Amino acid sequence: TTSSLAHTHFHTFSHTHTHEKPMIEAVVKSVLSADTLILAHPTKLPPVEKMVTLANINAPRYAKKAGDKEEPFAYMAREYVRQKCIGKIVRFEVSYSNPKTGRDFGHIYLGPNNDVESNLGYQLIERGLATLVKSRSDGTELQERMLDAFEKAQQAGRGIHTNDPNILRENTRQPKWDHINLRDIKKRFHANQTPMRCVVEHVLSGSTVVVQLNDSFENVLLHMTGIRCPRIRYKTVQEIGKDGKVVHVKRPDPEPLAQEARHFTEARLLNRDIVVYVDAVREDKHENSLIGSIVSSSNVQQQQTTLPRVHQEDLLQKGFARFIDYETYGSSFAKQLQRAEHEAKGKRLRIWKDYQEPESSLQKGDQQEIRARAVEILSGDKIRVRYLTPGREEELIALSCIRAPKMGAKNAQPEPWAVEAKEKLRSAIGGHKVSIKVDYRRPVKVSRTTTVDGEKHTETSEEDRKFATVRVKGKNVALPMVKSGLVSVIFRKFDEERSDDYGELKDTERVAINNKKGVHGNPKNAPKQFINDMSFKNLGEVQKFAPLILGKKVKAVVEKVHAAHRMKLFIPKHHCKITFTLSGISVPSVKSSDPEEAQIAQEGLDYAMDQLLLRDVEVDIASVNNVGNFLGNIFVKGKNNYVYDLIRQGFAEVRTGKFVDKLKNVQQLREAEAEGQQNEVGLYKNWREKRAQKQQEQEEEANPAPQHHNKGGEHAIKIHPDESGLHQIRVTEIVDVSHLYMQTSDAAQYLSKIDALMRQLDLSRTSSFPAPPKAGTLCFSKFSYDNAWYRAKVKSVQGDQATVVYIDFGNSEQVAVSDLRPVENNAITKELYQIPPQVKEVFLAFIAPPQDEYADDAYYFLSERIQDKDLYARLEFEDHGTTSNSPHKQYVTLYTNPDGTGNIQEELLKNGFACVNIPDYLKKKAYSMWLARKSQALVRAEELAKTVHTGIWERGEGF
């Protein structure tokens, strides 16, 4: 504001007529130095201002910017005037003006009376804080009194009149504007929670000021924590100069309400004593500044027990500022600021005049905080949860406002810090119940990629995903990850839906960025992670890896629980994942056709999740079974072997047979089983009657029905009606996409009986075959991995090597002929071979496998969906061949669910990993209606694959 502009308006001020010249009332807005003040109209808005210099005196020069040299006692003189005048109503008169500069000179009176003692210039002269300009003497009483006071001050050596150089030096400041260590200032005041005492020197905007520290006289830029006022920008405009030429000058270009917000702050803070609670330091290429909360000194003194009221709260409450929650830097005043903004929004004040509540993406029920348990950690920002509320399904939840590095697809390696972020989240929620508050929903594109012949085919769909704040014991699980730099915080505007903790997330991230932690640092510093997922490997690869962990007790993390006794483990030391099964026990399936068993299985699964899921455990790995699962015992920290509790509560039964008898803890297993049987809980309820019934069923199924063959060279086909139902099975070996080996749900009991009989044989002491056996010979073979003996059949012999198939498991291997034993004619072997093979060779009905270039992808696709999982099979037909010597083949349809949904053949066809294949011997009129009904859905699935050119159809041709 210019003095000439102010001069045109100051006639409106009220005045009295006790002097010849009018005395005008004004408020002291600012004290530039001891002899120069900015005066403002007490009530008029926008403010009318006037700069007045005290007449007939000279105060010591006060430094206002870098490069200014300050004179002795300048600070003391200015402080005297500031403390006496700032914010108070004074009376003034203009004595004269400088025509060249336009500056007004006059007298200012502090009291209601216009006497000499209340004259500000007289008070400065009397205290030795200014000199008298005698050339301007006008012979008035005031001038005479000022001269007398000046002479007395000189005689007494007061203030600037002292001759002592030490006093002059002690009263000369060295203020600083440059090369200020802001971090040191923050450390001095923030670490001790001590407020910084200072004076506001300039107000740049409603939320930005320049302050001078009382103890060090450092001048620093200060932004107020957690708010942002409308800004005053400057733009360059063309104007005509005094010489008539065009000049470019910068003029203010304020945003709406920017001037009003600045005036609001000036009227309350300019040149006032304040204290600042320092929250942070901002250092970038644009500016270096402090960030803190401002409280007036009087406000601090008045409130002892509660948090004082900060100036930001006043700005927000009046509608002059917005609350910026991600710039609170952990301030204790954040809640106060949020409440003040909410109040202004409700009243629609100033910047909120046209405010409308944003449209919410939440649906009915989302606002309610829900309790759940995490069942799987997919990445550092995605989890799968199971709600504790009955009737709700598992659901994928993304953490609000954060983004974690990607874990990568099945065959891809994770991005830097992805594994660490996932583990950090796992350690935070593992073993705990979590509370979930949905903050917003977003449509998310989900891609499903299949690789065929080295080329990727992607199908994209869209799902409505929930983004939520997840808490454990009231604490946001995302904060530790943000603090460690393992995830980044997504920027959200103030009017966007976001987490209630968004401000704290951004504050925490800012510290991580400054410290260059994790994803904010150099990617080269990230740990190298290679995850070897053995759960997807074939048996041969598992056997090569196994010696690293067999017979050892290793630390692991339970990543996923498949059943009460089977789970997926991550072993950090070896960077591997394995499928782990508890030794010596069997558990029912949750998909069992027996409702009672299915319920017990579900309860056991829930118990396993509660005890093990996402927890740190120790595993004692003893062996590997024929399908690549690692066997052993698992120990939860601070507890005994987990398997004992599982048995005692009736969720598992102890197997019988040689393998179990060899276990080190077989005695403890039997004791736990006896306790469960005594209590008759779970599987042990009515256990005697159930055991007798199962034995009877096994004996009946051990005698299969006779086979019949047609004559005349035609295939003997037996069609099985759908009413024959589904049978629960488990696939133990995959030869190719259409050729499998499987065990029925009762195989466990048969295997126990076989083990019991094998235990009575001492095959290591018996002789091998006197001559190489012929193909098809039944024998006993030593399995190369565990050196145990199993029932087998010879497939072929070459020299001293034989290829055998294990008739109870379906897997084949090449062994030395010396490791084969003949089936001797004794009571034990006769009883052994009265028990039928426990694995059945079957073929998937109505499909054929792909050619070689697609075979591997098809194999892994099928393996991922059916290997070591409970499935359901329907026997469609049997082919007894054309003669009595022809092989007997059974053709089945596999399903993932007991209700006949989840057709495996359809999945293979849809993804182009098989084609429809109807044998010629089925293309007869007698079978036409049955065949049409069976093949209709399969043909549609194949046509879909052809349409999208996936798998074997990617080039528009089959095989």
Side-chain angles (χ1 to χ4, degrees):
T1 304
T2 62
S3 59
S4 59
L5 175 63
H7 187 74
T8 62
H9 291 279
F10 260 83
H11 69 278
T12 61
F13 282 21
S14 64
H15 59 274
T16 63
H17 299 280
T18 55
H19 286 261
E20 295 179 2
K21 293 183 179 181
M23 297 295 293
I24 307 172
E25 289 184 351
V27 175
V28 178
K29 174 186 174 182
S30 174
V31 179
L32 302 182
S33 65
D35 57 1
T36 304
L37 294 80
I38 301 292
L39 306 179
H41 194 289
T43 59
K44 195 172 182 65
L45 292 175
V48 179
E49 301 173 359
K50 187 180 194 67
M51 185 172 69
V52 176
T53 300
L54 297 181
N56 303 332
I57 71 167
N58 277 331
R61 183 182 296 277
Y62 182 81
K64 301 182 182 68
K65 62 182 184 299
D68 287 356
K69 185 175 181 181
E70 188 163 293
E71 295 179 350
F73 288 95
Y75 174 70
M76 183 181 293
R78 193 255 190 172
E79 278 298 284
Y80 176 81
V81 175
R82 185 184 68 81
Q83 293 179 11
K84 280 278 187 179
C85 302
I86 194 68
K88 296 179 181 178
I89 294 179
V90 299
R91 297 168 178 266
F92 77 97
E93 63 179 357
V94 176
S95 301
Y96 59 91
S97 298
N98 187 324
K100 292 183 178 180
T101 62
R103 177 175 292 190
D104 294 321
F105 293 83
H107 295 284
I108 295 177
Y109 294 88
L110 303 183
N113 301 318
N114 302 329
D115 53 16
V116 174
E117 283 72 15
S118 63
N119 184 283
L120 183 58
Y122 175 81
Q123 293 179 12
L124 289 170
I125 292 291
E126 187 180 38
R127 287 166 175 75
L129 299 177
T131 59
L132 184 65
V133 181
K134 296 180 181 180
S135 61
R136 283 284 181 179
S137 176
D138 52 11
T140 62
E141 179 188 357
L142 173 61
Q143 192 66 24
E144 293 298 329
R145 292 281 300 276
M146 291 178 73
L147 179 59
D148 182 58
F150 177 64
E151 291 174 348
K152 288 180 179 179
Q154 283 182 319
Q155 292 172 5
R158 295 192 198 107
I160 60 177
H161 305 299
T162 182
N163 294 320
D164 189 336
N166 292 328
I167 295 177
L168 291 172
R169 185 168 54 253
E170 289 172 1
N171 286 277
T172 303
R173 289 191 318 153
Q174 300 295 330
K176 292 179 64 177
W177 283 270
D178 301 322
H179 309 295
I180 298 173
N181 190 335
L182 296 180
R183 292 188 178 275
D184 180 62
I185 293 175
K186 179 177 179 291
K187 184 178 180 180
R188 278 157 49 198
F189 295 103
H190 182 75
N192 299 323
Q193 296 297 312
T194 304
M196 181 176 71
R197 299 190 176 274
C198 48
V199 175
V200 177
E201 291 292 324
H202 304 286
V203 176
L204 305 182
S205 72
S207 56
T208 304
V209 297
V210 176
V211 299
Q212 185 177 95
L213 278 65
N214 290 354
D215 60 348
S216 60
F217 307 116
E218 294 170 300
N219 291 266
V220 298
L221 182 65
L222 174 71
H223 294 287
M224 297 182 202
T225 301
I227 70 166
R228 188 173 298 161
C229 288
R231 291 175 291 184
I232 301 176
R233 295 189 178 94
Y234 288 84
K235 65 178 180 180
T236 302
V237 298
Q238 293 182 351
E239 294 183 358
I240 305 299
K242 295 180 180 180
D243 57 359
K245 295 182 179 179
V246 176
V247 294
H248 293 83
V249 293
K250 287 187 175 181
R251 296 296 182 198
D253 183 26
E255 295 177 349
L257 294 172
Q259 298 282 25
E260 291 86 342
R262 182 169 70 175
H263 171 67
F264 185 87
T265 297
E266 284 179 338
R268 288 155 179 79
L269 298 184
L270 185 58
N271 287 170
R272 266 50 166 212
D273 288 304
I274 63 168
V275 296
V276 176
Y277 292 87
V278 181
D279 293 314
V281 173
R282 178 183 294 169
E283 293 179 324
D284 54 39
K285 61 182 180 180
H286 301 294
E287 65 177 30
N288 296 331
S289 61
L290 290 177
I291 299 173
S293 297
I294 294 178
V295 187
S296 68
S297 298
S298 59
N299 206 359
V300 172
Q301 294 168 2
Q302 289 172 3
Q303 305 196 28
Q304 299 290 335
T305 58
T306 60
L307 287 174
R309 186 178 179 87
V310 293
H311 180 66
Q312 300 101 289
E313 194 172 350
D314 294 330
L315 285 164
L316 288 166
Q317 199 171 53
K318 298 297 183 182
F320 283 121
R322 299 181 190 275
F323 175 54
I324 311 299
D325 56 357
Y326 54 85
E327 291 185 356
T328 57
Y329 301 92
S331 171
S332 303
F333 304 103
K335 295 296 182 183
Q336 296 177 204
L337 303 184
Q338 196 170 25
R339 285 195 298 267
E341 183 190 55
H342 182 73
E343 182 180 340
K345 282 182 178 179
K347 295 179 180 179
R348 300 298 190 267
L349 295 178
R350 296 182 174 86
I351 62 175
W352 305 111
K353 179 182 178 182
D354 301 318
Y355 173 73
Q356 297 292 330
E357 292 285 348
E359 186 177 347
S360 175
S361 64
L362 299 180
Q363 298 178 4
K364 184 178 179 180
D366 285 348
Q367 292 88 346
Q368 182 182 0
E369 195 168 274
I370 307 172
R371 301 283 289 169
R373 182 182 296 281
V375 297
E376 187 177 5
I377 309 297
L378 302 175
S379 65
D381 58 0
K382 295 182 189 68
I383 61 175
R384 189 172 297 280
V385 299
R386 175 179 293 175
Y387 294 106
L388 302 183
T389 306
R392 299 192 64 165
E393 297 181 352
E394 292 184 4
E395 189 172 20
L396 188 150
I397 295 291
L399 301 189
S400 292
C401 303
I402 67 168
R403 180 179 291 118
K406 295 180 180 178
M407 283 298 298
K410 174 182 173 182
N411 296 320
Q413 288 304 304
E415 293 180 354
W417 301 107
V419 174
E420 289 74 18
K422 181 180 177 182
E423 171 58 19
K424 190 79 172 179
L425 181 58
R426 196 277 313 169
S427 63
I429 67 178
H432 297 287
K433 295 176 182 177
V434 300
S435 62
I436 297 173
K437 181 181 178 297
V438 180
D439 297 312
Y440 53 90
R441 289 172 176 258
R442 292 286 186 274
V444 176
K445 290 185 178 180
V446 180
S447 298
R448 182 173 174 271
T449 303
T450 56
T451 304
V452 180
D453 197 21
E455 296 184 7
K456 294 183 178 180
H457 177 77
T458 303
E459 295 179 3
T460 303
S461 59
E462 194 173 85
E463 69 177 34
D464 188 29
R465 182 169 296 171
K466 293 180 180 178
F467 290 78
T469 298
V470 178
R471 300 182 190 276
V472 173
K473 297 180 179 179
K475 296 182 179 179
N476 189 338
V477 298
L479 282 169
M481 294 190 292
V482 176
K483 184 177 181 180
S484 302
L486 299 176
V487 298
S488 57
V489 180
I490 303 169
F491 178 74
R492 292 276 185 253
K493 295 180 180 179
F494 72 91
D495 56 350
E496 288 185 289
E497 293 177 301
R498 55 192 182 183
S499 169
D500 291 341
D501 297 339
Y502 183 71
E504 190 174 0
L505 290 171
K506 288 296 289 185
D507 289 344
T508 306
E509 182 191 42
R510 195 175 288 108
V511 177
I513 291 173
N514 291 337
N515 294 330
K516 297 182 178 179
K517 286 188 175 182
V519 297
H520 310 298
N522 191 335
K524 295 181 179 179
N525 296 332
K528 303 297 182 184
Q529 296 286 3
F530 178 83
I531 307 300
N532 188 12
D533 196 340
M534 302 307 300
S535 62
F536 289 111
K537 306 293 185 180
N538 58 38
L539 182 60
E541 291 175 292
V542 172
Q543 290 173 346
K544 291 178 182 178
F545 169 80
L548 292 174
I549 56 177
L550 277 183
K552 299 175 183 177
K553 204 170 186 179
V554 295
K555 293 182 178 180
V557 175
V558 180
E559 282 205 342
K560 196 169 185 179
V561 174
H562 300 294
H565 71 311
R566 192 173 73 257
M567 56 219 66
K568 190 172 185 177
L569 303 181
F570 172 60
I571 303 177
K573 182 178 179 180
H574 299 286
H575 299 282
C576 71
K577 296 179 182 181
I578 64 171
T579 300
F580 180 83
T581 303
L582 293 171
S583 295
I585 64 169
S586 63
V587 300
S589 169
V590 293
K591 298 180 181 179
S592 173
S593 56
D594 184 339
E596 184 180 355
E597 284 193 354
Q599 182 180 352
I600 295 172
Q602 184 61 55
E603 292 173 357
L605 177 62
D606 293 340
Y607 179 78
M609 287 186 171
D610 184 63
Q611 297 294 314
L612 300 178
L613 186 60
L614 306 180
R615 291 180 184 265
D616 293 302
V617 298
E618 285 187 325
V619 288
D620 187 1
I621 301 176
S623 61
V624 179
N625 65 15
N626 286 348
V627 293
N629 288 353
F630 290 82
L631 306 178
N633 294 296
I634 191 165
F635 300 86
V636 182
K637 187 176 181 181
K639 292 189 177 182
N640 294 327
N641 192 333
Y642 159 76
V643 73
Y644 303 149
D645 291 334
L646 203 64
I647 297 170
R648 290 188 190 104
Q649 298 194 42
F651 297 134
E653 292 179 303
V654 180
R655 291 180 181 272
T656 59
K658 178 181 65 175
F659 174 75
V660 176
D661 291 341
K662 290 181 179 180
L663 294 176
K664 295 178 181 179
N665 63 334
V666 63
Q667 184 61 35
Q668 289 87 343
L669 292 174
R670 300 296 183 198
E671 291 173 359
E673 182 181 45
E675 188 174 337
Q677 290 174 344
Q678 182 178 355
N679 297 330
E680 290 203 5
V681 292
L683 294 171
Y684 299 115
K685 188 176 181 180
N686 302 323
W687 62 278
R688 293 180 179 85
E689 294 84 351
K690 290 180 181 178
R691 180 170 295 181
Q693 182 181 356
K694 285 186 178 181
Q695 288 177 350
Q696 182 179 354
E697 291 174 354
Q698 290 170 5
E699 290 174 0
E700 291 175 355
E701 292 180 6
N703 301 307
Q707 300 176 358
H708 301 281
H709 298 272
N710 286 344
K711 298 180 180 180
E714 293 185 354
H715 284 263
I717 306 300
K718 181 179 181 180
I719 305 298
H720 286 261
D722 291 348
E723 289 74 18
S724 60
L726 299 179
H727 301 275
Q728 186 177 345
I729 61 97
R730 178 164 291 186
V731 174
T732 59
E733 184 73 4
I734 301 174
V735 180
D736 63 34
V737 164
S738 65
H739 187 186
L740 316 170
Y741 286 88
M742 69 182 193
Q743 292 176 342
T744 63
S745 59
D746 296 324
Q749 297 299 327
Y750 281 107
L751 290 173
S752 297
K753 189 174 182 180
I754 292 170
D755 285 343
L757 292 170
M758 292 288 290
R759 190 169 62 251
Q760 301 177 40
L761 297 174
D762 190 2
L763 295 174
S764 60
R765 295 180 179 274
T766 60
S767 301
S768 181
F769 284 93
K774 295 180 179 180
T777 302
L778 292 174
C779 63
F780 299 104
S781 174
K782 184 190 290 185
F783 186 41
S784 60
Y785 192 72
D786 61 2
N787 291 325
W789 296 91
Y790 296 91
R791 300 195 302 171
K793 180 191 287 186
V794 178
K795 293 177 68 176
S796 63
V797 178
Q798 290 186 346
D800 61 350
Q801 296 291 313
T803 300
V804 298
V805 58
Y806 293 98
I807 63 175
D808 297 314
F809 300 97
N811 56 311
S812 301
E813 72 168 345
Q814 191 175 60
V815 299
V817 172
S818 59
D819 286 332
L820 300 180
R821 295 292 182 268
V823 178
E824 297 179 352
N825 188 14
N826 57 50
I828 297 176
T829 56
K830 284 183 178 179
E831 187 175 356
L832 266 173
Y833 276 91
Q834 283 180 352
I835 301 174
Q838 291 308 294
V839 71
K840 295 182 179 181
E841 183 182 27
V842 296
F843 299 85
L844 295 187
F846 314 118
I847 67 168
Q851 56 190 7
D852 292 344
E853 62 177 308
Y854 301 99
D856 287 344
D857 286 338
Y859 176 89
Y860 286 113
F861 178 87
L862 183 61
S863 176
E864 184 178 355
R865 282 155 179 79
I866 69 173
Q867 189 85 40
D868 198 31
K869 294 181 180 179
D870 291 323
L871 301 172
Y872 298 86
R874 172 179 283 119
L875 182 59
E876 302 289 4
F877 66 95
E878 296 176 74
D879 178 12
H880 295 276
T882 58
T883 67
S884 59
N885 296 324
S886 298
H888 171 209
K889 294 183 178 181
Q890 293 183 326
Y891 289 84
V892 300
T893 297
L894 292 186
Y895 303 92
T896 57
N897 302 310
D899 60 358
T901 58
N903 189 309
I904 294 297
Q905 278 102 310
E906 286 185 27
E907 281 293 307
L908 287 166
L909 291 166
K910 284 179 184 178
N911 289 274
F913 289 130
C915 72
V916 176
N917 181 43
I918 307 298
D920 291 337
Y921 54 78
L922 290 179
K923 296 176 181 179
K924 294 183 177 181
K925 187 175 181 179
Y927 305 138
S928 59
M929 293 182 65
W930 170 81
L931 187 60
R933 179 167 53 85
K934 291 291 182 179
S935 63
Q936 186 177 13
L938 301 180
V939 172
R940 283 200 303 266
E942 184 182 63
E943 290 301 321
L944 176 62
K946 291 179 179 180
T947 302
V948 297
H949 297 288
T950 186
I952 60 177
W953 312 108
E954 65 176 345
R955 291 187 291 270
E957 57 185 11
F959 55 90

